[in-house]
Amino acid sequence: MTATFALIVDTFREAMARKIFWGLFGLSLLMVLFFLFIMKIDVVEGATATITLFGQTAGGEHRDMAVDKLVKQVHSSISTFLYSFGMFLAVFASAGLIPSVLEPGRIEVMLSKPISRAHLLMGRFIGNVLVVSCNIVLLVGGVWLIFGWKTGVWSPGFLVAIPSTIFVFSVLLTVVVLAGVLWESTAVSTMIPVVMMILSPILAQEETARKLLSSEWSRQLWLFLYVALPKVYDVGKMTLDITLGQGAGSWWPIWSSGAFGILVYGAAQWIFEKRDF
Amino acid sequence: MTAELAIETTDLRKVFRSRWSGKEVCAVENISLRVNRGTTFGLLGPNGAGKTTFVKMLLSACIPTAGTARVYGRDTKDPEARRPIGYLPENHRFPTYFTGAGMLDFYAALSGVDAAKRRKLIPELFERVGLDPKWMDVRVGKYSKGMLQRVGLAQALIHSPSLLVLDEPSDGVDPVGRRQIRDVLHALEAQGVTIFLNSHLLQEVELFCRDVAIVNKGRVVLEGTVNDLTAGKGYKLVAMNGSGPKEWNLGSREEANGKIDDLRREGFSIESLVPTTSRLEDVFIEAVQGKK
């Protein structure tokens, strides 16, 4: 337990020293403060008269409904941001944290300690996930609290964005770990998951592709890639649907992405166990 | 029986294979070595002899192609086998975001030392390795090479190891610092800590180690105590007559006694008879070149 905690704290320490943590934290905080101050509420005789968000006023006899809609729209915008720019930023910022620990002269000292390689890798992985999780919790939780407090609309569906974003980031991080133990390169460790993120919405158009592709093998290849690779787009869409109160639909993107993550992490650990340093 | 040995390797072998061309290089070739508990052991060899690969296999940083390595009777593949080991690598790169104290705290935690003990030990270790405790809260990125070497040694000592594996411990340290490090190591030796020194500084090994092994091209070419290896294989005889002192180098005790009898009969007076000794450097060069 002491060693696991030390590995997690070390990841945080390195993330802070590399300004990764502070960069993500600053961005999340900026967004929270943005919503805190951008949303103006006018109170007349103890009742909410108007709510101004991004210059739009929700009011009149349908005020409650309009506010509810507006809040859900903001929540879905945040979810979309998390699954696009936010995820890219998280992968980009934290990809270096895995290869750095494998640097010659550093890894030997860690391996000389009475901890297994699996323990070392897992400690680093958890630390990395927690660095990003803190910022996701701050952003989603902060926005949810601000909107709930200012509008009285507490939409719990939005909070699903916390576990779902952390989950997708963890799956992409397994790719970072595998690339890290194979090539010890931050650039490669960043590129591969980013390519997967870019491919995800394209591969998700599987039905359209089936109609457009002429050969059977290309259709099968498309299907294989769609099934095998993490479904960032699909999980994002699922989160968005839950945020908008439309239900989760199929859980297939979750468990297939999870299986991908477990498989890739297992491969990374197997390679790490066999490597010479 | 095996636990009497701090280190025991049996036919330890390491072959590096190129990922692309498939070319093979044998870095360590069937080394069987025994290091007694409580001794000071020096591993010597020219550059590229396989010393560091051998040490890395002891620590499981490098996976042996064949053979076994045991520390106090435990196979080094078992993480618990590394609990009694303190290790200072040659080209260490401690993360520069650590302060000196933070770095020791981290490595001690990895070794399972509890927080209260760590807080007590860290300032003590700073003083023990000759570092001013005012440097404890300074980032190691600001440390000089010698200071890094000292804090690295403190890192290796933080969990009170019973086997210390040091790769060029006085590299980059000034003569005063070397003396201090040697004093620390002597104190540990007195406490019964086994010290395994991997160094190319022959004088350092000769001054400090009781046992040595010389490695060349992945094989042990000579092994024994420093005293035995540097002991003379002959005698130097000085005798005088009317024309002044004369010297003879004699190969054995019998030969020396015979020569003394002859000289006395011829009217010489014996001035001195001294066993000849050789320096470790001579032994090293002879061992390495002799196996070429």
Side-chain angles (χ1 to χ4, degrees):
Chain A
M1 196 60 200
T2 310
T4 310
F5 185 68
L7 287 166
I8 292 169
V9 171
D10 179 50
T11 316
F12 268 83
R13 204 180 273 151
E14 186 169 349
M16 285 177 184
R18 286 170 171 241
K19 314 286 188 283
I20 293 165
F21 184 83
W22 296 121
L24 292 173
F25 182 80
L27 195 70
S28 304
L29 194 66
L30 203 70
M31 287 191 72
V32 170
L33 293 175
F34 177 78
F35 286 113
L36 187 65
F37 294 112
I38 203 85
M39 190 169 65
K40 199 176 162 192
I41 300 173
D42 291 327
V43 178
V44 178
E45 292 176 358
T48 308
T50 54
I51 298 172
T52 311
L53 274 166
F54 304 111
Q56 291 183 336
T57 303
E61 58 184 290
H62 302 297
R63 186 185 61 82
D64 285 344
M65 198 179 156
V67 168
D68 181 59
K69 198 178 169 189
L70 203 58
V71 168
K72 281 190 173 169
Q73 272 176 359
V74 173
H75 284 174
S76 60
S77 303
I78 298 282
S79 296
T80 310
F81 168 83
L82 275 173
Y83 274 89
S84 50
F85 185 69
M87 193 68 72
F88 171 76
L89 207 68
V91 169
F92 184 77
S94 57
L97 291 174
I98 300 292
S100 70
V101 85
L102 306 174
E103 282 175 1
R106 181 175 175 184
I107 185 71
E108 294 93 327
V109 181
M110 294 181 90
L111 292 177
S112 74
K113 305 299 173 193
I115 54 166
S116 66
R117 290 188 181 200
H119 190 167
L120 201 158
L121 198 65
M122 185 52 91
R124 197 71 179 173
F125 178 81
I126 294 172
N128 211 332
V129 169
L130 288 177
V131 165
V132 172
S133 300
C134 286
N135 292 291
I136 293 171
V137 169
L138 171 67
L139 177 60
V140 176
V143 169
W144 184 74
L145 281 174
I146 288 166
F147 275 76
W149 170 55
K150 290 206 167 186
T151 65
V153 178
W154 299 93
S155 172
F158 178 52
L159 292 178
V160 171
I162 295 177
S164 82
T165 316
I166 293 171
F167 168 76
V168 171
F169 173 74
S170 306
V171 171
L172 292 174
L173 190 63
T174 63
V175 181
V176 173
V177 173
L178 178 63
V181 298
L182 270 173
W183 296 293
E184 289 177 32
S185 160
T186 304
V188 178
S189 299
T190 313
M191 273 190 280
I192 299 175
V194 166
V195 166
M196 285 179 177
M197 283 171 62
I198 294 168
L199 278 178
S200 178
I202 301 167
L203 291 171
Q205 311 310 313
E206 195 251 331
E207 281 184 25
T208 314
R210 203 180 293 170
K211 289 172 197 161
L212 293 175
L213 293 170
S214 54
S215 61
E216 185 55 29
W217 73 265
S218 55
R219 280 194 287 268
Q220 290 301 320
L221 179 67
W222 190 288
L223 183 66
F224 170 76
L225 288 174
Y226 175 61
V227 170
L229 294 177
K231 286 144 201 75
V232 183
Y233 172 80
D234 297 76
V235 180
K237 192 173 176 300
M238 182 192 271
T239 307
L240 203 62
D241 289 345
I242 295 171
T243 303
L244 294 171
Q246 291 165 5
S250 166
W251 289 90
W252 142 257
I254 295 279
W255 69 257
S256 62
S257 300
F260 171 88
I262 291 167
L263 209 69
V264 170
Y265 187 86
Q269 191 181 305
W270 186 78
I271 292 165
F272 186 56
E273 295 273 359
K274 304 272 173 216
R275 268 204 62 176
D276 291 320
F277 292 98
Chain B
M1 177 67 187
T2 34
E4 288 302 310
L5 297 167
I7 298 171
E8 183 185 23
T9 67
T10 310
D11 295 325
L12 202 60
R13 180 178 165 85
K14 181 65 195 179
V15 177
F16 288 110
R17 192 172 289 113
S18 163
R19 203 184 282 182
W20 307 114
S21 67
K23 266 189 179 176
E24 290 188 349
V25 177
C26 187
V28 172
E29 212 169 333
N30 302 80
I31 290 186
S32 296
L33 205 64
R34 289 167 162 241
V35 176
N36 290 319
R37 192 188 274 260
T39 194
T40 46
F41 192 98
L43 188 68
L44 295 168
N47 292 336
K51 306 186 298 290
T52 299
T53 305
F54 178 80
V55 168
K56 284 183 177 179
M57 283 195 283
L58 287 183
L59 302 160
S60 244
C62 204
I63 315 293
T65 309
T68 56
R70 291 179 176 276
V71 170
Y72 295 111
R74 268 184 196 257
D75 195 313
T76 54
K77 283 177 202 156
D78 177 2
E80 277 305 307
R82 302 195 288 274
R83 194 169 292 282
I85 305 178
Y87 173 57
L88 174 65
E90 184 185 6
N91 296 313
H92 50 70
R93 276 177 68 182
F94 298 120
T96 51
Y97 55 80
F98 275 130
T99 62
M103 183 187 124
L104 295 188
D105 188 69
F106 171 63
Y107 289 119
L110 287 190
S111 299
V113 180
D114 67 67
K117 204 172 172 190
R118 297 201 300 263
R119 275 194 296 275
K120 184 176 169 286
L121 276 173
I122 290 166
E124 282 176 18
L125 267 168
F126 255 74
E127 292 199 29
R128 197 163 160 199
V129 297
L131 278 172
D132 192 326
K134 75 180 179 191
W135 285 91
M136 281 199 326
D137 297 321
V138 177
R139 288 193 175 202
V140 294
K142 306 266 183 220
Y143 283 27
S144 68
K145 180 88 200 297
M147 290 167 75
L148 280 173
Q149 204 65 7
R150 287 164 195 249
V151 81
L153 180 62
Q155 164 278 134
L157 297 174
I158 192 82
H159 57 296
S160 311
S162 52
L163 169 64
L164 202 53
V165 179
L166 307 170
D167 210 340
E168 308 289 359
S170 53
D171 192 24
V173 183
D174 59 55
V176 177
R178 281 185 188 192
R179 181 68 177 268
Q180 273 179 328
I181 288 177
R182 210 160 47 232
D183 289 344
V184 171
L185 298 183
H186 275 305
L188 291 165
E189 184 197 2
Q191 290 165 23
V193 174
T194 310
I195 297 169
F196 187 95
L197 197 65
N198 184 7
S199 176
H200 67 272
L201 296 173
L202 296 167
Q203 199 190 2
E204 188 174 77
V205 172
E206 194 168 4
L207 273 170
F208 183 72
C209 294
R210 197 180 306 153
D211 303 306
V212 291
I214 298 172
V215 179
N216 190 30
K217 293 179 182 172
R219 289 174 182 274
V220 173
V221 290
L222 198 65
E223 196 182 346
T225 66
V226 173
N227 284 342
D228 285 348
L229 294 178
T230 56
K233 291 185 170 62
Y235 295 86
K236 186 174 162 185
L237 174 67
V238 180
M240 294 182 78
N241 65 3
S243 58
K246 282 187 177 175
E247 278 183 27
W248 290 268
N249 285 309
L250 303 156
S252 66
R253 189 184 297 164
E254 292 72 28
E255 199 183 335
N257 279 314
K259 189 69 184 174
I260 289 168
D261 292 343
D262 293 345
L263 289 172
R264 288 180 77 94
R265 270 198 299 276
E266 290 167 22
F268 278 84
S269 64
I270 306 301
E271 186 69 19
S272 64
L273 178 68
V274 184
T276 52
T277 58
S278 48
R279 291 175 305 149
L280 192 58
E281 188 180 75
D282 302 326
V283 176
F284 176 82
I285 289 170
E286 197 178 307
V288 170
Q289 290 185 336
K291 291 281 173 182
K292 265 186 174 177

